[in-house]
Amino acid sequence: MDFSHERDLTIDELVLRARVYMPDEDFALLKKSYYFAEAAHREQKRSSGEEYIIHPLNVVATLIKLRMDMDSLIAGILHDVVEDCDVTPEEIEREFSTNIAHIVVGLTKISKIKFKTKEENQAENFRKMVVAMAKDIRVIIVKLSDRMHNMRTLQYMSVEKQKKKAEETLEIYVPLANRLGINSVKAELEDLCLRYSKPEIYYRLAEKVAKKRSERDAYIRETVQLIRDKLQDFGVKAEVYGRPKHFFSIYKKMLNRGVDFEQIQDLLAFRIIVNNITECYKALGVMHSSFTPVPGRFKDYIAIPKINNYQSLHTTVICPRAERIEIQIRTHEMHEVAERGVAAHWKYKEIAQGRTSKMDWVQELLDFNQNVSNSAEFMDAVKNDLDFGGIFIFTPTGDVKELSYGSTPLDFAYAIHTEVGNTCVGAKVNGRMVPLKYRLKSGDTVEILTSKTQTPGKDWLKFVKTSRAKTKIKQFILKIERDKQRSVGEELLEKSLKMHGTNVKNILKNNELREVFDELHLRNIEELYIHLGSGRYSTQLILEKLPSIDVSKVSEQELKKIDSYYNRLAKTVKEKSNKENAVIVDGMDDLLVRLAKCCNPIPGDPIIGFITRGRGITVHTASCTRISEHDMTRTVPVEWNKEFAFKHPVNIRVMAHDRPGILANISKIINAKDINIKSAMAKSLPDQKGSFIFEIEVKDYSELLSIIGTIESIDQVLNVTRV
Ligand code: MN
């Protein structure tokens, strides 16, 4: 299809074109819409200097190429009158129809969406568009035609605007055209985007292709004839076409394979169109027996259609001249769908009240999470073709979650449940351990590992992607902070009241705090504690407001006592929460805490503390085999200090095939993760196996899990265990 700008297009010409596929239609309303729009836009000009009406006319030309229905064509003519002129939707409804007014209003709404251009917001953009088209999918098809013409006439805009439009088109409209299966529009838009967003690449490609033009055209003709002859020899009736590939698809190949233009071999694509599916496979057989197929390049989208309903057989073969060519084989119906996508399914006048089957299809898109089936092939199609920035992740039981592009296992954990996120210590992706900051890919199956002792850390905020995960982590951290402040505040108030011979219970009973609450806009005593603990209000300020307390009765000296008490309390909290101790011992300050050498506990492990005479407290893992040697009555409850950032030593044993360089290989991988190796020991075992023991320093349990997973992913490695 050719979507070039036609500067002399008239309404009569459009009527002629539309009559080809709508022979029985009355075109009076279309003509009326033209006069209506022409009058409305009369004062306006395009940036090119042309009359404005040439734009809607060209938009309709595209809609006709897609064989859209009459309502769409009329909406195409009228698409800018509400936004750019003083026409109201009611007027359109009165002069034309309710359906047409709906489409025009939908288009006006889309033009007001502020699209975000960052890749993480693509899913959101896409969803907005899907919502807009859920009412009537024709809205999007008219919008795509509108964008097509604007991209076609982009040369009249400033360079800055060109780039911006091209980027927006590439991020939003191209994936949408792709999702709707309108490949003709998608491919054209992609090439236009490349021209304006990467002009240096576009023109280089154009130049290279143009250089060999006559030679190439002759080659295409020759090859088409050759393919025709071969098919005829085997009795396959077919139409055969050849063309140079779209620039954007060449560019994508260059990027994917990391090669230069000179190394790209298959610049030409051929298409074989036959009458039925049996002939598709027959034609494929003929091609593979006549030319040498390139291994790994055959794709059967007939047996497994793409998610946008695209069907074809794809193969790459080597031609007599030793050049690679791509061949697509499809039926006429498949070709219609490939070019026009959802527009090809558009059954004229099938729009019942409410929704048609096509709108159900859009609804399915909205409910995508629920509706994806769990077959690997289907996910492959999603991965390849629904590239709008969102990713789809499976739970081990086959449920699917949609996450933003760049999401991590932690985002996934929070998507399942806040509690799963808060206690997440590690994750297995497709059966392999990965670090928490691992970037997930569509189709990954993710199993989240949790530990009751785990809690969110501030560092998590640095790598999670979804706003849900960010919010939940912040909430948790805030709550911890609040809890600390609350207990400091409570202690302070009790202590101060005690000096005046009373306590919180009494004050509350006598309702003495009511005035304080009112004045400071506090709802309850808990809020007061938090404000005292955070230092926002002093206890002195509160005491002054209590009717039963005479502040002057307390001496300066005693006030100082409270001050220093507060400082000490605040300091303890700070110390506990900062870097002083890896382990917090319940209710005891200034105790010497050491981590047991026998089991090397690391944050995340369940732990037990033992009081050791003269040596303070020794902390073991709950599963330490040497615990039984201790007197169980001397245990104390201990917990990990979440803020503690020191490194902990831990031993891991790696069993591997004893190949040269394996030790160096493992060490390299550990070092690459910024993990320090304190010592390494190697031992040869029978059957050419080796056992390696590394003493490494990790931050916590999840870092340990992550490094174990990474080492396990080395080919020669059999297993990794903590020892
Ligand atoms: Mn427009």
Side-chain angles (χ1 to χ4, degrees):
M1 281 186 211
D2 182 7
F3 297 104
S4 306
H5 170 60
E6 300 178 71
R7 46 180 76 239
D8 301 317
L9 200 54
T10 62
I11 186 66
D12 292 334
E13 167 65 19
L14 288 173
V15 169
L16 278 179
R17 290 183 196 175
R19 226 190 265 286
V20 172
Y21 68 95
M22 297 192 281
D24 304 326
E25 194 70 22
D26 179 6
F27 285 87
L29 204 60
L30 181 65
K31 284 187 180 167
K32 179 181 171 183
S33 71
Y34 168 74
Y35 294 117
F36 186 93
E38 202 272 332
H41 289 299
R42 190 160 292 158
E43 304 299 316
Q44 295 166 328
K45 292 257 193 279
R46 295 282 286 172
S47 304
S48 61
E50 292 165 279
E51 297 298 329
Y52 195 89
I53 193 70
I54 198 67
H55 167 61
L57 286 174
N58 270 275
V59 170
V60 174
T62 296
L63 290 168
I64 289 172
K65 279 170 197 144
L66 296 172
R67 303 219 187 111
M68 292 303 293
D69 68 342
M70 187 60 77
D71 281 359
S72 307
L73 303 192
I74 295 172
I77 290 271
L78 298 172
H79 81 269
D80 275 332
V81 297
V82 173
E83 207 199 338
D84 294 345
C85 316
D86 287 334
V87 177
T88 64
E90 292 72 31
E91 213 174 334
I92 293 181
E93 194 168 347
R94 202 169 56 235
E95 297 288 328
F96 300 95
S97 77
T98 314
N99 276 337
I100 292 168
H102 276 324
I103 301 175
V104 175
V105 168
L107 288 159
T108 312
K109 271 189 194 144
I110 291 177
S111 67
K112 290 194 174 118
I113 298 177
K114 290 271 174 287
F115 288 113
K116 299 171 180 172
T117 46
K118 293 236 168 72
E119 62 181 358
E120 68 253 43
N121 291 316
Q122 268 191 335
E124 192 192 324
N125 290 334
F126 186 81
R127 194 167 294 107
K128 279 181 189 164
M129 295 291 272
V130 169
V131 169
M133 73 182 179
K135 300 232 169 63
D136 194 328
I137 200 164
R138 291 174 296 182
V139 170
I140 290 299
I141 298 172
V142 179
K143 185 68 206 173
L144 284 170
S145 307
D146 176 34
R147 180 51 64 112
M148 172 73 87
H149 186 246
N150 285 335
M151 287 298 293
R152 265 287 178 193
T153 52
L154 210 54
Q155 68 266 36
Y156 303 105
M157 299 285 178
S158 66
V159 172
E160 196 187 325
K161 206 156 186 188
Q162 285 174 356
K163 288 222 167 182
K164 194 174 165 273
K165 282 275 171 205
E167 270 157 29
E168 189 184 88
T169 303
L170 204 53
E171 278 174 18
I172 295 149
Y173 294 98
V174 166
L176 207 56
N178 185 36
R179 185 59 186 82
L180 296 176
I182 313 172
N183 286 322
S184 53
V185 169
K186 177 205 156 212
E188 178 78 16
L189 284 178
E190 278 179 338
D191 274 10
L192 288 165
C193 290
L194 187 65
R195 178 163 151 197
Y196 291 106
S197 66
K198 300 242 173 353
E200 62 295 341
I201 289 165
Y202 179 88
Y203 288 108
R204 212 180 134 212
L205 283 171
E207 191 190 336
K208 298 255 183 192
V209 169
K211 243 185 219 168
K212 304 171 188 158
R213 183 160 203 147
S214 58
E215 192 189 326
R216 195 193 59 220
D217 287 352
Y219 180 67
I220 289 176
R221 272 198 306 278
E222 238 170 73
T223 310
V224 164
Q225 196 52 51
L226 186 61
I227 293 173
R228 268 192 199 129
D229 291 348
K230 294 282 179 194
L231 290 169
Q232 208 169 5
D233 289 350
F234 288 87
V236 181
K237 273 190 195 146
E239 291 171 23
V240 182
Y241 306 96
R243 58 174 175 88
K245 284 190 179 169
H246 281 281
F247 289 173
F248 194 85
S249 73
I250 299 173
Y251 170 62
K252 251 198 312 209
K253 279 217 169 85
M254 288 166 61
L255 286 184
N256 287 344
R257 299 191 203 153
V259 295
D260 196 50
F261 182 86
E262 312 293 342
Q263 293 163 274
I264 290 277
Q265 290 182 316
D266 38 348
L267 292 176
L268 302 179
F270 292 83
R271 202 166 273 156
I272 299 172
I273 300 178
V274 294
N275 288 322
N276 54 52
I277 292 181
T278 317
E279 302 228 300
C280 288
Y281 289 100
K282 205 168 162 191
L284 178 77
V286 173
M287 288 303 103
H288 280 185
S289 57
S290 308
F291 309 107
T292 311
V294 177
R297 298 295 302 275
F298 169 63
K299 290 200 183 85
D300 187 347
Y301 293 119
I302 291 179
I304 305 153
K306 288 191 187 182
I307 187 177
N308 58 21
N309 293 331
Y310 175 87
Q311 286 189 294
S312 274
L313 300 176
H314 289 190
T315 188
T316 302
V317 298
I318 298 167
C319 261
R321 279 202 216 163
E323 266 192 64
R324 287 171 170 217
I325 56 166
E326 192 184 295
I327 300 175
Q328 300 172 345
I329 305 167
R330 52 176 77 147
T331 66
H332 291 280
E333 290 79 13
M334 291 172 191
H335 184 59
E336 279 289 293
V337 173
E339 290 284 295
R340 286 188 249 281
V342 72
H345 291 287
W346 199 260
K347 291 226 179 83
Y348 184 55
K349 275 193 174 165
E350 207 193 42
I351 313 131
Q353 299 285 352
R355 43 198 352 210
T356 68
S357 58
K358 290 300 155 256
M359 290 174 197
D360 287 341
W361 179 82
V362 176
Q363 189 58 43
E364 273 173 33
L365 247 181
L366 285 168
D367 302 338
F368 202 67
N369 290 358
Q370 285 79 44
N371 284 333
V372 280
S373 83
N374 190 15
S375 77
E377 292 88 344
F378 184 79
M379 266 329 287
D380 267 347
V382 171
K383 265 195 272 191
N384 293 333
D385 305 313
L386 189 55
D387 182 25
F388 61 85
I391 53 171
F392 295 90
I393 303 299
F394 287 103
T395 68
T397 55
D399 286 334
V400 69
K401 297 267 176 217
E402 185 190 343
L403 298 170
S404 317
Y405 176 83
S407 284
T408 64
L410 211 44
D411 291 289
F412 181 67
Y414 276 103
I416 297 172
H417 194 276
T418 306
E419 208 35 47
V420 177
N422 282 344
T423 56
C424 176
V425 286
K428 280 186 177 173
V429 170
N430 306 323
R432 291 270 189 196
M433 284 298 311
V434 298
L436 282 181
K437 47 177 88 164
Y438 178 85
R439 298 278 146 138
L440 297 172
K441 291 186 293 294
S442 244
D444 280 346
T445 298
V446 182
E447 185 188 339
I448 297 296
L449 308 176
T450 59
S451 158
K452 275 181 189 153
T453 57
Q454 176 71 313
T455 50
K458 274 185 186 146
D459 56 322
W460 287 12
L461 289 169
K462 286 184 208 140
F463 58 83
V464 293
K465 198 84 188 171
T466 54
S467 54
R468 179 182 163 82
K470 279 185 186 147
T471 314
K472 295 294 176 189
I473 295 166
K474 277 185 197 152
Q475 273 174 5
F476 189 93
I477 291 170
L478 192 69
K479 190 183 173 297
I480 294 290
E481 193 71 14
R482 282 273 157 85
D483 287 351
K484 278 184 208 155
Q485 291 172 348
R486 190 210 160 275
S487 61
V488 170
E490 184 178 13
E491 257 187 282
L492 270 176
L493 191 62
E494 285 289 11
K495 204 109 184 166
S496 318
L497 290 172
K498 206 173 160 194
M499 282 195 265
H500 294 277
T502 180
N503 56 40
V504 174
K505 211 173 149 192
N506 267 331
I507 299 286
L508 281 175
K509 202 171 74 194
N510 300 331
N511 222 351
E512 288 191 52
L513 280 167
R514 190 197 278 162
E515 199 186 317
V516 175
F517 288 171
D518 276 357
E519 222 175 283
L520 303 177
H521 303 290
L522 302 173
R523 273 171 302 182
N524 50 41
I525 185 86
E526 299 296 314
E527 287 190 6
L528 178 60
Y529 288 153
I530 289 165
H531 285 305
L532 288 172
S534 70
R536 183 163 174 205
Y537 301 129
S538 68
T539 45
Q540 187 67 11
L541 178 87
I542 306 302
L543 296 190
E544 278 168 6
K545 293 181 194 298
L546 299 182
S548 67
I549 286 175
D550 181 357
V551 207
S552 60
K553 271 190 186 161
V554 179
S555 68
E556 194 73 10
Q557 206 187 348
E558 275 176 294
L559 277 176
K560 267 194 186 144
K561 242 197 235 162
I562 292 188
D563 261 2
S564 77
Y565 180 74
Y566 173 79
N567 287 338
R568 227 172 54 228
L569 209 55
K571 195 165 159 247
T572 325
V573 171
K574 218 172 158 204
E575 270 174 8
K576 276 184 183 173
S577 65
N578 280 344
K579 300 176 165 50
E580 300 291 320
N581 275 320
V583 172
I584 299 168
V585 183
D586 199 27
M588 282 182 251
D589 289 339
D590 307 326
L591 268 172
L592 182 64
V593 176
R594 58 177 210 97
L595 302 174
K597 282 272 189 295
C598 51
C599 53
N600 279 334
I602 56 169
D605 283 337
I607 43 173
I608 298 181
F610 290 90
I611 297 171
T612 324
R613 198 167 303 136
R615 295 177 69 180
I617 290 171
T618 311
V619 175
H620 290 260
T621 64
S623 59
C624 177
T625 48
R626 295 189 48 188
I627 284 181
S628 55
E629 296 171 18
H630 296 266
D631 182 1
M632 289 303 280
T633 57
R634 288 186 302 148
T635 61
V636 283
V638 287
E639 57 176 306
W640 290 106
N641 178 357
K642 274 90 203 181
E643 311 287 323
F644 186 73
F646 288 171
K647 296 282 186 178
H648 304 264
V650 58
N651 291 323
I652 53 170
R653 181 195 285 125
V654 180
M655 301 285 276
H657 292 293
D658 198 2
R659 302 274 151 75
I662 179 72
L663 182 62
N665 206 355
I666 299 170
S667 311
K668 209 167 80 193
I669 277 178
I670 298 175
N671 282 323
K673 294 229 141 200
D674 262 349
I675 288 172
N676 186 31
I677 303 174
K678 288 184 81 179
S679 66
M681 239 164 53
K683 199 166 101 189
S684 284
L685 299 173
D687 303 334
Q688 297 202 306
K689 287 187 182 118
S691 155
F692 308 93
I693 293 184
F694 293 90
E695 188 183 2
I696 55 174
E697 288 183 313
V698 294
K699 188 172 88 240
D700 56 19
Y701 186 54
S702 61
E703 187 169 81
L704 175 66
L705 285 180
S706 146
I707 190 64
I708 287 179
T710 312
I711 299 170
E712 271 182 340
S713 68
I714 302 172
D715 270 349
Q716 292 88 349
V717 169
L718 299 165
N719 66 61
V720 184
T721 42
R722 181 172 168 192
V723 289

